[in-house]
């Protein structure tokens, strides 16, 4: 299959091309999986993503041709996870799975690796302690690198809400991490 943009693939998938929809799945599976993890699906992330792709395929007829496919799909993923989210325990495995996504091709000095892991642990712990509304916005904006508009669409929020929640969440993270650094230096 030649490389083409999502709009062309969606049009072909709407017309019944299974190969076009397969290419859309291939292109967006990793991002959808990360959204599911960020939203707290835990070990059920892959099931949620598969369900989202099935539902997206069934809803292709209602998809607006002038809208971007990726935010629409990621919103389906976010809604599925949010709707099936039954307990906070599903978020407990998030940190380890997201850490596994890091590129391990380059291995720096072991001391640097240890310091990076400690810093990452502190950051993930601080993120895990944030209220869900802040964690979701930061996950979309910084882990998934979505724009404010895409984040708003995925989370079903106004763009201004994304902006203000991002600001508040970052301020909280800075405060928590600064307090940890100060505490570490006192000990």
């Amino acid at each position: 299959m030649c490389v083409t943009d999502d709009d062309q693939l969606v049009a072909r998938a709407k017309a019944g091309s299974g190969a076009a929809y397969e290419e859309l799945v291939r292109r967006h599976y990793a991002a959808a999986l990360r959204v599911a993890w960020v939203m707290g699906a835990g070990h059920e992330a892959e099931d949620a993503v598969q369900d989202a792709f099935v539902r997206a395929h069934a809803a292709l007829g209602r998809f607006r041709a002038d809208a971007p496919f990726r935010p629409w799909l990621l919103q389906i993923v976010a809604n599925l996870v949010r709707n099936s989210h039954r307990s906070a325990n599903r978020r407990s495995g998030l940190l380890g799975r997201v850490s596994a996504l890091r590129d391990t091709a380059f291995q720096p000095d072991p001391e640097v690796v240890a310091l990076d892991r400690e810093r990452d642990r502190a950051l993930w712990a601080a993120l895990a302690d944030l209220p869900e509304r802040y964690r979701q916005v930061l996950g979309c904006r910084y882990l998934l690198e979505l724009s404010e508009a895409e984040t708003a669409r995925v989370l079903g929020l106004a763009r201004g809400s994304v902006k203000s929640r991002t600001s508040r969440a970052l301020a909280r993270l800075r405060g928590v991490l600064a307090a940890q650094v100060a505490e570490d230096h006192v000990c």
Side-chain angles (χ1 to χ4, degrees):
M1 170 175 274
C2 66
V3 176
T4 184
D5 70 5
D6 284 352
D7 295 338
Q8 293 172 341
L9 289 170
V10 169
R12 290 176 38 210
K14 279 183 169 184
S17 170
Y21 197 72
E22 280 182 39
E23 178 63 16
L24 286 168
V25 170
R26 187 193 63 71
R27 285 183 179 188
H28 300 290
Y29 186 84
L33 189 59
R34 290 189 304 264
V35 166
W37 282 335
V38 166
M39 297 296 293
H43 64 279
E44 296 178 5
E46 288 188 29
D47 291 339
V49 170
Q50 289 174 6
D51 192 17
F53 275 110
V54 168
R55 290 179 187 219
H57 187 267
L60 271 178
R62 296 186 309 270
F63 177 71
R64 286 188 358 242
D66 63 332
F69 179 77
R70 179 181 164 143
W72 179 72
L73 171 70
L74 297 180
Q75 182 179 20
I76 293 171
V77 173
N79 288 339
L80 281 172
V81 172
R82 197 177 299 128
N83 292 341
S84 67
H85 198 284
R86 293 187 186 98
S87 72
N89 292 337
R90 289 188 179 173
R91 289 188 299 268
S92 65
L94 174 66
L95 301 177
R97 284 188 289 282
V98 174
S99 295
L101 295 175
R102 290 185 57 152
D103 183 10
T104 58
F106 172 73
Q107 290 298 322
D109 179 48
E111 183 178 345
V112 172
V113 171
L115 291 172
D116 283 347
R117 284 187 181 153
E118 181 58 28
R119 187 183 61 231
D120 286 352
R121 185 207 56 76
L123 177 60
W124 286 112
L127 278 169
D129 287 341
L130 286 176
E132 186 173 346
R133 66 184 182 275
Y134 293 149
R135 191 175 56 254
Q136 289 174 353
V137 169
L138 289 182
C140 287
R141 291 289 286 130
Y142 297 105
L143 293 176
L144 300 173
E145 299 176 354
L146 298 179
S147 68
E148 282 180 359
E150 291 171 326
T151 298
R153 178 154 181 169
V154 167
L155 297 177
L157 299 170
R159 194 168 175 180
S161 296
V162 169
K163 194 172 210 161
S164 64
R165 285 185 187 184
T166 301
S167 176
R168 287 185 194 119
L170 289 173
R172 278 192 173 191
L173 271 181
R174 278 193 285 285
V176 168
L177 294 173
Q180 287 178 358
V181 167
E183 183 179 300
D184 289 345
H185 283 27
V186 169
C187 295

